[in-house]
């Protein structure tokens, strides 16, 4: 019998945790209406439902509310905005605002729709699946004419590859066993590319480049921070599949124009004669962009 009672008590204690709070509050209201004191109500609830059914402070609090005329057993509405703001209507309104202005911020959407920022954040990221990204920087905006010109140049280069290779198949380009650039025709052996770039007079060694191996007991090395030089120079570089052919530094105070670029091409010719013997006889294909000094009449002549 004692074992049965112990088992029954443990089952009751387990079930009490799952009972609704309204049932216990209804018992408190019933006993309070009969004139029972709060201390006696607490004692009877503990004997019937268990010690954890309702705390002493909650029993006295509900007795005070019932004495003030309260009859409702449910919880009072909490302050703040309800969680029902994440609904289909607000989701549609948020989506419309974002589609009208892709740069609108979460705070601005919340102020405009008068809903919490946390709700807007949940709708934007979880419901609608938006994520804010920065625009990709590109060197220049290409028009349709620019794109067509690049297609035509690429087709002309492909035709030259096929002609030099002696067939109509597409040229195959790869890397050799030693890591050298290889192609199955002579065009890439004759192709020289040139471009300009700004170079700092002093480019200090980075912290990563100065990393050294050390033992745990070795002293810690120090590296003082050095800024790059403010002064920059313009460097014109020409290279082919084998490496750099010419590095031409523009003197300070000068600018690259057609005359200056023509003199650079003269130095390129001498550099080709020294570093690539026989290339001038086979013919050189110079590839550079359409900057004004490159496309001027003087340069073309």
């Amino acid at each position: 019998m004692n074992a049965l009672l112990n088992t029954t008590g443990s089952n009751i204690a387990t079930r009490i945790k799952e009972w609704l709070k309204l049932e216990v509050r209804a018992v408190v209201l019933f006993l309070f209406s009969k004139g029972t004191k709060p201390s006696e109500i607490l004692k009877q609830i503990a004997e019937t439902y268990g010690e954890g059914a309702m705390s002493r402070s909650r029993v006295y609090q509900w007795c005070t509310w019932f004495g003030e005329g309260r009859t409702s057993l449910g919880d009072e509405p909490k302050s703040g905005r309800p969680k029902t703001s994440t609904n289909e209507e607000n989701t549609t309104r948020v989506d419309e605002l974002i589609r009208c202005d892709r740069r609108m911020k979460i705070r601005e959407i919340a102020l405009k729709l008068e809903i919490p920022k946390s709700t807007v954040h949940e709708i934007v990221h979880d419901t609608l699946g938006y994520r804010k990204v920065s625009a990709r920087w590109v060197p220049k905006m290409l028009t349709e004419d620019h794109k067509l010109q690049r297609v035509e140049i690429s087709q002309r280069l492909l035709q030259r590859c096929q002609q030099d290779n002696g067939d109509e198949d597409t040229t195959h380009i790869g890397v050799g066993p030693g890591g050298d650039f290889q192609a199955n025709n002579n065009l890439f052996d004759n192709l020289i590319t040139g471009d300009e770039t700004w170079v700092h007079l002093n480019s200090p060694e980075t912290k990563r480049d100065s990393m050294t191996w050390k033992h745990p007991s070795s002293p810690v090395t120090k590296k003082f921070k050095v800024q790059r030089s403010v002064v920059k120079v313009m460097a014109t570089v020409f290279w082919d599949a084998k490496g750099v052919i010419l590095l031409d530094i523009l003197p300070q105070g000068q600018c690259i124009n057609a005359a200056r670029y023509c003199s650079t091409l003269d130095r390129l010719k001498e550099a080709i004669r020294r570093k690539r013997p026989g290339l001038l006889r086979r013919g050189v294909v110079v590839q550079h962009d359409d900057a004004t000094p490159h496309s001027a009449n003087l340069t073309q002549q």
Side-chain angles (χ1 to χ4, degrees), residues 113-179:
L113 300 182
E114 296 182 351
I115 57 179
K117 291 192 297 184
S118 59
T119 302
V120 176
H121 188 278
E122 180 182 352
I123 292 175
V124 171
H125 292 278
D126 299 338
T127 306
L128 298 177
Y130 283 110
R131 64 188 186 95
K132 209 166 191 179
V133 296
S134 301
R136 178 179 297 177
W137 288 105
V138 294
K140 61 186 300 185
M141 183 178 66
L142 298 179
T143 63
E144 292 299 327
D145 293 337
H146 293 157
K147 296 177 182 179
L148 290 176
Q149 290 176 4
R150 280 158 174 75
V151 172
E152 293 175 357
I153 293 174
S154 300
Q155 292 176 346
R156 286 162 53 188
L157 288 174
L158 182 58
Q159 291 176 0
R160 293 200 59 169
C161 289
Q162 294 171 349
Q163 293 173 2
D164 293 343
N165 195 35
D167 55 35
E168 298 297 329
D169 296 333
T170 303
T171 302
H172 297 283
I173 305 172
V175 179

Side-chain angles (χ1 to χ4, degrees), residues 43-60:
K43 181 179 179 180
Q44 294 187 28
I45 290 178
E47 292 176 353
T48 306
Y49 296 102
E51 294 293 338
M54 181 177 287
S55 63
R56 177 185 179 87
S57 60
R58 295 299 293 173
V59 171
Y60 277 79

Side-chain angles (χ1 to χ4, degrees), residues 16-277:
I16 286 178
K17 298 180 180 179
E18 301 176 359
W19 284 351
L20 297 175
K21 295 181 292 185
L22 297 179
E23 183 176 350
V24 180
R25 293 173 184 175
V27 174
V28 175
L29 176 60
F30 172 75
L31 295 176
F32 182 79
S33 301
K34 292 178 62 177
T36 306
K37 295 182 179 180
S39 58
E40 184 64 24
I41 295 175
L42 176 62
K43 181 179 179 180
Q44 294 187 28
I45 290 178
E47 292 176 353
T48 306
Y49 296 102
E51 294 293 338
M54 181 177 287
S55 63
R56 177 185 179 87
S57 60
R58 295 299 293 173
V59 171
Y60 277 79
Q61 181 66 60
W62 277 102
C63 290
T64 302
W65 286 339
F66 292 144
E68 294 175 352
R70 178 172 176 173
T71 58
S72 173
L73 302 178
D75 294 327
E76 294 291 338
K78 296 181 179 181
S79 59
R81 301 182 185 274
K83 294 184 178 181
T84 55
S85 55
T86 307
N87 50 39
E88 185 176 355
E89 179 182 358
N90 287 336
T91 301
T92 303
R93 295 167 65 191
V94 170
D95 192 25
E96 291 176 352
L97 289 178
I98 293 179
R99 291 180 181 273
C100 293
D101 185 4
R102 296 282 179 170
R103 296 188 176 184
M104 182 171 287
K105 300 179 176 59
I106 296 291
R107 173 178 52 81
E108 297 173 348
I109 298 176
L111 291 176
K112 193 174 187 64
L113 300 182
E114 296 182 351
I115 57 179
K117 291 192 297 184
S118 59
T119 302
V120 176
H121 188 278
E122 180 182 352
I123 292 175
V124 171
H125 292 278
D126 299 338
T127 306
L128 298 177
Y130 283 110
R131 64 188 186 95
K132 209 166 191 179
V133 296
S134 301
R136 178 179 297 177
W137 288 105
V138 294
K140 61 186 300 185
M141 183 178 66
L142 298 179
T143 63
E144 292 299 327
D145 293 337
H146 293 157
K147 296 177 182 179
L148 290 176
Q149 290 176 4
R150 280 158 174 75
V151 172
E152 293 175 357
I153 293 174
S154 300
Q155 292 176 346
R156 286 162 53 188
L157 288 174
L158 182 58
Q159 291 176 0
R160 293 200 59 169
C161 289
Q162 294 171 349
Q163 293 173 2
D164 293 343
N165 195 35
D167 55 35
E168 298 297 329
D169 296 333
T170 303
T171 302
H172 297 283
I173 305 172
V175 179
D180 297 330
F181 179 81
Q182 292 182 346
N184 62 349
N185 56 64
N186 298 326
L187 174 62
F188 291 97
D189 294 335
N190 304 340
L191 183 62
I192 295 178
T193 306
D195 200 2
E196 294 89 9
T197 182
W198 285 103
V199 179
H200 290 271
L201 289 180
N202 177 28
S203 296
E205 184 183 46
T206 64
K207 184 177 180 180
R208 185 177 183 84
D209 293 336
S210 63
M211 295 177 65
T212 58
W213 296 104
K214 62 181 291 293
H215 290 288
S217 58
S218 301
V220 178
T221 58
K222 295 182 180 180
K223 180 178 177 62
F224 297 97
K225 187 176 181 180
V226 181
Q227 299 290 341
R228 292 189 301 179
S229 62
V230 179
V231 181
K232 296 187 295 184
V233 294
M234 175 68 72
T236 303
V237 186
F238 288 91
W239 69 94
D240 63 357
K242 298 180 181 179
V244 176
I245 299 177
L246 175 65
L247 175 60
D248 185 39
I249 303 298
L250 181 69
Q252 295 187 17
Q254 296 186 16
C255 60
I256 295 182
N257 50 27
R260 170 66 189 181
Y261 193 68
C262 288
S263 63
T264 302
L265 292 180
D266 292 336
R267 285 189 286 273
L268 173 63
K269 183 177 180 180
E270 295 297 328
I272 294 174
R273 182 177 291 109
R274 296 193 312 269
K275 298 182 179 181
R276 305 291 187 267

